[in-house]
């Protein structure tokens, strides 16, 4: 795996940058931990800009935050609160991780990767937040759990595909981003309608 990564060209590194950015909008701490762990145990030779992720101290910190997020993200309403708290860090972190994948060779590529990573992180973050808000409108807890497990799996799959089959990942990413935009818009309209109905009921005379 190390030899393969040493020969990665710009398309492959762009796929990794895109995966890091997009997945950060869903599970930032899982992204940081898995990427750092892969470098630390020798599965991947991380680009110079990402090698800090494999430092034991950062692995410990990201692993601890991952442990908290794994459970917080699966509890109704707690997941939305967790999203709200972490929304301020996911997008810039996604941009920084994407830039780290390319930043050692070219400042231009680093800026391009940062813009790509930040945009993808914002896209996945918006879809995730909208889906969780809609799920919390239902009294049953299983939708939240299912969505959370799906996101866990998507992050792992995205990182694996980006480093092993970058062209396949690129095609799937385009499809997923388009679907996420549609989901975000649809759920936004649904939540706005729910809010208006709730507001109308609250204003009815007793």
């Amino acid at each position: 795996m190390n030899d393969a990564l040493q020969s990665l060209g710009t398309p492959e590194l762009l796929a990794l940058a895109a995966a890091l950015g997009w997945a950060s909008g869903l599970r930032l701490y899982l992204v940081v931990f898995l990427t750092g762990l892969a470098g630390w145990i020798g599965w991947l030779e991380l680009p110079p800009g990402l090698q800090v992720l494999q430092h034991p101290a950062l692995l410990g910190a990201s692993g601890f935050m991952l442990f908290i997020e794994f459970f917080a993200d699966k509890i109704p309403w707690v997941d939305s609160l967790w999203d709200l708290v972490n929304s301020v860090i996911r997008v810039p972190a996604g941009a920084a991780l994407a830039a780290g994948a390319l930043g050692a060779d070219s400042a231009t590529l680093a800026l391009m990767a940062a813009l790509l990573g930040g945009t993808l992180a914002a896209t996945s973050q918006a879809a995730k937040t909208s889906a969780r808000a809609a799920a919390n409108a239902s009294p049953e807890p299983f939708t939240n759990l299912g969505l959370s497990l799906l996101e866990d799996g998507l992050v792992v799959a995205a990182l694996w595909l980006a480093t092993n089959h970058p062209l396949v990942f690129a095609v799937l990413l385009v499809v997923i981003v388009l679907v996420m935009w549609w989901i975000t818009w649809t759920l936004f309209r649904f939540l706005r309608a729910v809010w208006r109905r709730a507001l109308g009921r609250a204003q009815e005379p007793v």
Side-chain angles (χ1 to χ4, degrees), residues 26 134 140 161:
L26 296 177
E140 48 80 26
L161 278 175

Side-chain angles (χ1 to χ4, degrees), residues 3-54:
D3 293 338
L5 278 185
Q6 287 171 359
S7 62
L8 284 180
T10 299
E12 291 80 10
L13 287 176
L14 277 172
L16 177 60
L20 292 172
W22 178 82
S24 293
L26 296 177
R27 287 283 192 283
L28 173 60
Y29 304 114
L30 179 59
V31 170
V32 173
F33 181 76
L34 286 182
T35 306
L37 182 64
W40 184 66
I41 65 180
W43 285 355
L44 301 176
E45 183 178 343
L46 298 180
L50 297 178
Q51 289 180 0
V52 65
L53 302 182
Q54 64 192 41

Side-chain angles (χ1 to χ4, degrees), residues 105-191:
D105 298 325
S106 168
T108 301
L109 285 177
L111 178 58
M112 181 172 63
L115 293 173
L116 173 69
T119 301
L120 290 173
T123 297
S124 55
Q125 162 77 17
K128 171 187 172 68
T129 302
S130 301
R132 293 309 182 85
N136 283 326
S138 171
E140 48 80 26
F142 302 107
T143 303
N144 301 72
L145 178 61
L147 287 173
S148 183
L149 292 174
L150 175 63
E151 291 163 7
D152 292 335
L154 285 175
V155 168
V156 175
L159 295 178
W160 183 82
L161 278 175
T163 54
N164 290 275
H165 304 284
L167 294 180
V168 174
F169 168 76
V171 173
L172 290 176
L173 181 63
V174 171
V175 174
I176 290 174
V177 166
L178 291 176
V179 170
M180 281 188 159
W181 285 345
W182 176 81
I183 288 175
T184 301
W185 174 244
T186 301
L187 291 179
F188 172 76
R189 295 177 62 186
F190 166 74
L191 292 170

Side-chain angles (χ1 to χ4, degrees), residues 1-2 11 28 38 55 83 85 89 108-109 121 123 143 152 162 196 202:
M1 182 67 78
N2 286 352
L28 173 60
H55 191 281
D83 278 343
V85 171
I89 189 175
T108 301
L109 285 177
T123 297
T143 303
D152 292 335
R196 286 178 175 175

